[in-house]
């Protein structure tokens, strides 16, 4: 018996943009939503609020939709997110480094990327940088481009070749 209905059925599926793709995995890497992280595989799509965690000897590269690239080193955990403008003209990537270190090349033009962790926030575009979060503080090194570094007390502009070592969230940055 075949039952045919001529009534339209509406689906209320929500589209979620793919922000990045996991690639070049070495060692153990997990990725996905915080409570449902699974073994990372090459080509795994990363959505808003997805996490990537590398084990002590694990490494991974994340390629973003705009051509930006992030390399995660051993014992690193990162949350990937995005912020859209109210009129949806632009989207800013937001990365939160929970622990460990990363190297990144970001090609966002006039639309900066944000990285946060440990009470410190960075904004940058067209930049190569290294960002590490340790127990002693945060290390930031800019190879090329420019980065703005903010904490609870002050802010500073880092140019190519400049570094900040072991910064804390309540430290006056221009003195470093």
């Amino acid at each position: 018996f075949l039952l045919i209905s001529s009534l339209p059925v509406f689906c209320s599926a929500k589209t979620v943009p793919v922000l990045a793709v996991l690639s070049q995995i070495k060692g153990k890497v997990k990725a996905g939503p915080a409570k449902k992280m699974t073994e990372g595989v090459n080509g795994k799509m990363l959505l808003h609020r997805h996490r990537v965690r590398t084990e002590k000897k694990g490494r991974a590269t994340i390629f973003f939709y705009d051509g930006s690239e992030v390399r995660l080193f051993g014992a690193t955990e990162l949350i990937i997110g995005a912020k859209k403008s109210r009129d949806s003209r632009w989207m800013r990537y937001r990365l939160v480094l929970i622990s460990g270190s990363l190297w990144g090349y970001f090609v966002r033009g006039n639309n900066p990327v944000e990285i946060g962790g440990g009470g410190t926030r960075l904004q940058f575009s067209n930049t190569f940088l290294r960002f590490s979060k340790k127990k002693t503080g945060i290390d930031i090194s800019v190879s090329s481009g420019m980065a703005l570094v903010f904490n609870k007390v002050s802010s500073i502009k880092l140019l190519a070749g400049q570094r900040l070592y072991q910064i804390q969230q309540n430290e006056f940055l221009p003195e470093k």
Side-chain angles (χ1 to χ4, degrees):
F1 226 73
L2 184 62
L3 183 61
I4 299 176
S5 173
S6 61
L7 297 174
V9 177
F10 295 101
C11 181
S12 63
K14 209 176 190 185
T15 61
V16 178
V18 174
L19 300 177
V21 175
L22 193 60
S23 184
Q24 298 176 357
I25 295 173
K26 293 180 183 170
K28 279 194 154 192
V29 176
K30 291 189 172 192
K35 295 184 180 183
K36 294 183 181 180
M37 291 181 69
T38 59
E39 196 68 31
V41 294
N42 286 325
K44 182 174 181 115
M45 291 185 265
L46 301 172
L47 308 175
H48 182 60
R49 293 188 181 152
H50 274 200
R51 291 178 181 238
V52 179
R53 182 183 304 140
T54 60
E55 297 296 325
K56 191 170 185 175
K57 293 186 179 183
R59 291 184 183 162
T61 302
I62 300 170
F63 292 104
F64 289 86
Y65 181 70
D66 67 348
S68 296
E69 173 183 343
V70 171
R71 292 184 190 159
L72 302 178
F73 299 105
T76 298
E77 185 170 357
L78 177 78
I79 300 173
I80 296 173
K83 177 184 178 185
K84 275 191 141 182
S85 69
R86 293 183 191 262
D87 58 5
S88 297
R89 287 189 171 185
W90 56 265
M91 182 175 72
R92 176 179 294 165
Y93 292 130
R94 282 189 164 171
L95 308 175
V96 178
L97 186 65
I98 305 297
S99 62
S101 63
L102 63 85
W103 171 92
Y105 171 58
F106 301 93
V107 289
R108 291 294 289 175
N110 294 330
N111 188 9
V113 175
E114 285 185 13
I115 294 182
T120 304
R121 185 172 48 97
L122 279 80
Q123 282 188 349
F124 48 85
S125 60
N126 299 327
T127 303
F128 281 97
L129 67 84
R130 172 136 182 161
F131 185 80
S132 300
K133 184 176 175 187
K134 302 175 182 176
K135 291 179 182 177
T136 56
I138 293 174
D139 296 342
I140 303 164
S141 173
V142 178
S143 301
S144 72
M146 185 264 311
L148 298 172
V149 182
F150 304 90
N151 67 3
K152 290 183 177 181
V153 179
S154 61
S155 66
I156 192 168
K157 181 191 282 189
L158 290 180
L159 300 174
Q162 293 183 321
R163 301 177 191 126
L164 285 174
Y165 288 118
Q166 298 180 352
I167 61 172
Q168 304 290 328
Q169 62 185 2
N170 293 323
E171 211 164 26
F172 188 63
L173 295 176
E175 290 180 356
K176 291 296 270 186

